[in-house]
Amino acid sequence: MVSTYEASSQPNLVIVGGGMAGSKLAHDVHALGLNYQVTLISEEEQVGYNRIMLSALLAKDISKEDMPLVDVTKMANAGVRVVAGDPAVILDVNLRTITLASGTQIQYDKLVLATGSRSSILPLEGSDAKNVIGFRNWQDTEMLTELCSSLHVSVIGGGLLGLEAAVGLAKKGHKVTVYHRSEWLLNRQLDSTAAHLLQAKLESYGVDFKLSTSPNRLLQDGSGEVVAIECDDHTQPTDLVVMAAGITPEITLAERAGIATSRAITVDPQMRTSHTDVYALGECCEFESQTFGLVAPIWDQIKVLLQVLNDKTSTFQIEAVPTKLKVSGVDLFSVGKISPDTGDVCICYTDISTNHYRKLMVNDGQLVGAILYGNVADGSWYFQLIQNKTDVSCWLDTLIFGEAYCRQNAA
Amino acid sequence: MSVTTVQTTCPYCGVGCGVNLSCSSNATNSTITPVTGDQQHPANFGRLCVKGSSLAQTITSDDRLIVPSVYGEASTWDNATDIISQKIQEVTTKYGPDAFAFYLSGQILTEDYYVANKLAKGYIGTANVDTNSRLCMASAVVGYKRAFGSDTVPCNYEDLECCDLLIMVGSNAAWTHPVLYQRIVAAKAQRPHMKVVVIDPRRTATCDIADLHLAITPGSDAAIFSYLLQATGKKGFLDQDFIASHTDGFDSALAQAKASTPDLSSAAKFCGVTEDDLALLCDWWCDTDKSVTFYSQGVNQSSSGVDKCNAIINCHLATGRLGKPGTGPFSITGQPNAMGGREVGGLANQLAAHMDFATLGAQDLVQRFWQAPNMATENGLKAVDMFQAMEEGKIKVIWIMSTNPMVSLPNTSQVKRALEKCELVIVSDIKAHTDTTKYADILLPATGWSEKDGTVTNSERRISRQRGLLSPLGEAKHDWQAICEVAKKLGHHDAFDYSGPHQIFAEHAALSAFENNGQRDFNIGAFQDITKTEYDALLPIQWPVTQSSPEGTARMFVDKHFFTPNGRAKFIPIEPKLPVANTTDQYPFTLNTGRVRDQWHTMTRTGDAASLSQHIAQPYVEIHPDDAKKHDICDKTLVKVYSAKGQTLLKAKVTEATAPGSLFVPIHWTQQFANASIVSALIPPVVDALSGQPESKHARAALEPIKNATYGSLISDTQLQLDDCLYWCKVTSDYGHRYEVAWPETVSIESLKQTFGARSSAPLQWLEYTNPFNSQIRLAGIHDNQLKIVIYLSEAPDVSTTDWLVSKLSPTQSLSDSERMALLVGQPVDVEDKGEIVCSCYQVGTKQISQAIKEGAKTAEALGAKLKCGTNCGSCLPELKAIVSSNLEEAKS
């Protein structure tokens, strides 16, 4: 029951998780001068980097120097205790302690769980091989970066992460095949037209696609390495499998401590968990049955939590978040509904030859969904219209052509 | 760079405005500059209307006829005139001279008219010389002749400005004679006590200045003046001295007026106006000595047009209101040289120089003057009769000059049958394609306005020069030259050997003075020895121009002497009559026709100017809102308007300007511009028995809404075949080809892409836009970043495209990315050019970032504070940093 750290006159704020949410919170608490001694505990050796940019790093669009989200060294010099490469393994909410893998115990007055998530590994036969990996952290990225070129890489999952990984790997000269179980890519964010434009663009980067295809099993050789993917109608040799079939919130620590969880750690609008002085944040938390994979709501959560930690009131609420794909040369934007229900009316604009596509869904005078491909300049305006529930009924003639036309005709 | 300018005369309406036409040239090319009004011309003093102002735009080589064509093959003048002269020789020998006919136009020049009239009436021996002027002022001519013994317009334009009461009857001068109307507007503004009364079934633009508008029952005009005559008598405002000393027939005219319109209430009822309004007009008329009655097609185009004219003239005779400033019955002509044609005698019921066949000694006089070998001896066939005789096979050869009877004569289907029956149809025109040239066996290329040289006479008897600036295009010839060539081949060399129009004009002048002795009003004997130099310098002058009046004559009948045998004017007893075609259950509407402001006749010239298509782009039918509601017709939707004679497809214009039960359709659109909009097709061939002028402003008609049509606007870089459309109308544009169309039902994007893709000269990339809210479908076809076609569809009829869109068809235009999308909006927009998007979370682009850096944001954080870029996911931060450093380096170097 001994803290390895010296006692502080300030209350101890311990943040478990050195990913984007945890490190940004540590940075902001410190930067705002809140009255806490902050301790940031990271499982990964790399703390405070921008996870979103791993695909850019993989694609070599940027270098490691471009990766930091917050300046950890500066933060540490200023008094924030940063523990790297030493995961928290036990949480005792009664004693208010955290035990790390190294055995170190840390006392907290307030605890923030920002344990993030892990790549979901599909329960496929053969997926336990060591050349089946996720694409989630620095280590995954380094591993992929260090591969010798011209491998056959199979990416399972044509969602945002899978596509970013696929492009990154293709740019490095690998032969990449993406397996996607739906009829079109990003099927939760795009409609078929936009997805086909995207697919054509990604194919021009050298990525192959197998749509409406789910692997049945991964075939291993004698040494336990996956050598091929077996699907219904064919078997494809492969040197490496990247699982990008979604993420699973990392809640082991909380569960073991008896903190209430569902799919993730359930929190209230002040980011409080079932236990006093324990908060959760980011991909590991669940609010109103929703989990979070995009950065914008997490930044909102941090803002709320900063207020709460400062004994002020603030309330988190869920807002629509637009989707963007972080692949250079691809501009797509999607927010709200992607396919019309009864009562929704679609306005469409298509210029296939220049890869420009827009679809808007309007219901009862309000914009409820927007998909843009190619020219996404009006995306943030449509986003605002949806968020503000703006009455767009006077703009219906020009809505699809964007803000400038609507403003011009209103003037 | 040198500039050549001529003073010439506008070729449109009868106002006859002076126009300065200039051409600037250098070594390689020459350009026609926009025309200006001639400050010195007494018709307009520098003013021009929009049609006149756009004249330069109509000087185009598009679709000009430049070589003769014989049975569809390009030919030579020599060959064409050989065939013409041989055929005339053949048919006149075999069937007599009346197997030949000229059908001329109020747009050819006096000199052209003169030689045509001379050839037919003196040398071929037929009076089958008629003209489209028959359609516009034949009734006015007969009205004047019955009253004055001569076809004499007593007034001049100044009378319109100095009168105290101006009664405008059947005239929408604001649109048809805009410069004259503007002179009236200016005069009324200066002299506010001047009253203007408009008598017209419709509320037209002319009513803007009206102190009183009498929206009469169509065709009831004569009753107004019949009542005015009897009321003037009853109230004691007659000019008894004038009536007694200078007129005949007053008593019977008054008796008829009393019988026809015994009192205010019966007259008001007949005319469909309130008693108060009619009484007010009557009071003003009685009280105002300086009164002018200004009348035009609404009076003339009637089965009782001559009577209407005389009903008007009777009132002026009864009050002595003519031959004095600010008084008179003033017929305004619709064409630039209807008057010149009348002076020459270029009508079937005239002989020459204001002499008729019936004029005692006239045939002999003219024969001696011309030394004519084969004089016609009686009236020829007037326009409608001429085409009927043609269908009956009596006329074997017709020479149509500068007019478009397939559009302008009533009963179009009969005109078509006549032309098809005729053995040789010769058409002289400037255009290769008109509704009439289609039926020509021989096409002769004529010179156009900018090339022609000669004289015209306007509505106030003012002779002005049209002066050619340009050389004839291709092998085009002046009409007088074409006629003279044929005349010479017919063996009349000496009589038709003119060195230029001045010689013809001199001969025309000499004939007018020949043995005149003051017996004939038309006398321009002062010009009988005119030289070419004098002719070229001729200033506008009002006839008569004689030794005793060398400066011309501003006003006629000042001396109260008329050209009847006894020198006294005649009252004509008038029984007002309504139009012949009454409405029936089957045809419940009264159809009226007329002009629109910015088009002229059959659009063969105004149709070339894009600016003139902007005021009114499509043919339409005016319908009163009550009738529209009753027939389930919405504004701008397509309507079928039909009569027993034919049918049209027109856009509805729902307006209270037209009375319930009445329709109005403009006359201009031909098959060159729309597939089914020729209003003449609906008009029965009813004519005034005395003048032969058709009742073109009246038909009974029915209408039917077109339901479930899909409306569309098309612009294309090539001409489009639109036979699969229910309706199409070509709208002149500065670039490419623009059409307004309607399909009978819904059309799919796929079928449009297929249809127009197949018709395109190059493979197309398609841009598509669909919006169920306004039922819009829009497509643009692009090849190699050049716009080829744009298609806008809507269930609503209002889908017209814009000038901006048309400008994108310019072959020098390459489309930018923002313009591609704008093609489907129809307009450009000032979209902030953000540059390449760097921050996709907040849509911040390179150009915005560079600007912010210039304004002092020198770090990624500062940029984030200013533009929000990089403050969400942060993945653009590396790029932002790179942009900052490269911008700062740039600034340093």
Side-chain angles (χ1 to χ4, degrees), chain B residues 621-877:
Chain B
V621 53
E622 277 185 9
I623 307 170
H624 188 273
D626 294 347
D627 290 327
K629 201 172 167 193
K630 198 155 70 185
H631 289 81
D632 197 15
I633 289 165
C634 298
D635 198 38
K636 296 179 183 164
T637 57
L638 205 53
V639 180
K640 180 170 127 183
V641 180
Y642 60 100
S643 75
K645 291 292 171 193
Q647 70 171 57
T648 53
L649 282 171
L650 304 160
K651 301 300 286 291
K653 182 177 177 186
V654 178
T655 168
E656 286 179 347
T658 286
S662 288
L663 305 174
F664 173 84
V665 178
I667 61 171
H668 308 288
W669 280 267
T670 69
Q671 291 197 14
Q672 311 307 308
F673 289 92
N675 63 328
S677 60
I678 298 174
V679 70
S680 296
L682 308 182
I683 307 287
V686 171
V687 298
D688 182 292
L690 300 170
S691 70
Q693 179 159 356
E695 194 158 58
S696 293
K697 278 186 168 287
H698 193 91
R700 53 187 169 209
L703 45 82
E704 197 177 284
I706 303 292
K707 292 287 176 191
N708 306 318
T710 298
Y711 293 90
S713 295
L714 308 177
I715 64 164
S716 165
D717 68 330
T718 54
Q719 275 202 47
L720 295 176
Q721 256 296 329
L722 295 166
D723 293 343
D724 46 345
C725 291
L726 173 68
Y727 163 86
W728 62 260
C729 171
K730 179 178 169 179
V731 182
T732 306
S733 56
D734 283 325
Y735 300 98
H737 304 268
R738 179 184 156 193
Y739 304 88
E740 298 295 325
V741 303
W743 281 275
E745 53 208 3
T746 309
V747 278
S748 73
I749 287 197
E750 288 315 311
S751 72
L752 288 171
K753 280 158 66 174
Q754 205 168 17
T755 307
F756 291 102
R759 288 172 197 175
S760 169
S761 53
L764 299 180
Q765 299 170 340
W766 288 102
L767 277 61
E768 303 173 24
Y769 160 57
T770 54
N771 188 344
F773 285 107
N774 47 21
S775 69
Q776 283 181 345
I777 294 179
R778 294 179 172 185
L779 292 172
I782 293 174
H783 174 79
D784 198 16
N785 228 20
Q786 291 279 321
L787 180 60
K788 292 292 187 183
I789 185 167
V790 174
I791 306 170
Y792 281 13
L793 298 191
S794 175
E795 283 167 29
D798 193 11
V799 286
S800 54
T801 53
T802 62
D803 292 342
W804 176 82
L805 203 50
V806 166
S807 75
K808 295 293 122 186
L809 282 176
S810 159
T812 57
Q813 286 271 349
S814 197
L815 296 164
S816 73
D817 273 0
S818 68
E819 282 176 339
R820 287 175 79 100
M821 188 164 80
L823 293 174
L824 300 193
V825 194
Q827 58 176 337
V829 72
D830 290 329
V831 182
E832 183 190 4
D833 184 1
K834 297 177 173 177
E836 297 274 303
I837 295 296
V838 176
C839 171
S840 56
C841 294
Y842 292 112
Q843 302 297 324
V844 183
T846 48
K847 292 191 178 171
Q848 291 171 291
I849 293 166
S850 297
Q851 184 60 32
I853 294 170
K854 267 183 214 154
E855 288 166 11
K858 295 198 188 328
T859 61
E861 291 71 33
L863 286 171
K866 197 175 172 81
L867 302 171
K868 290 177 88 176
C869 50
T871 61
N872 186 43
C873 78
S875 51
C876 61
L877 286 169

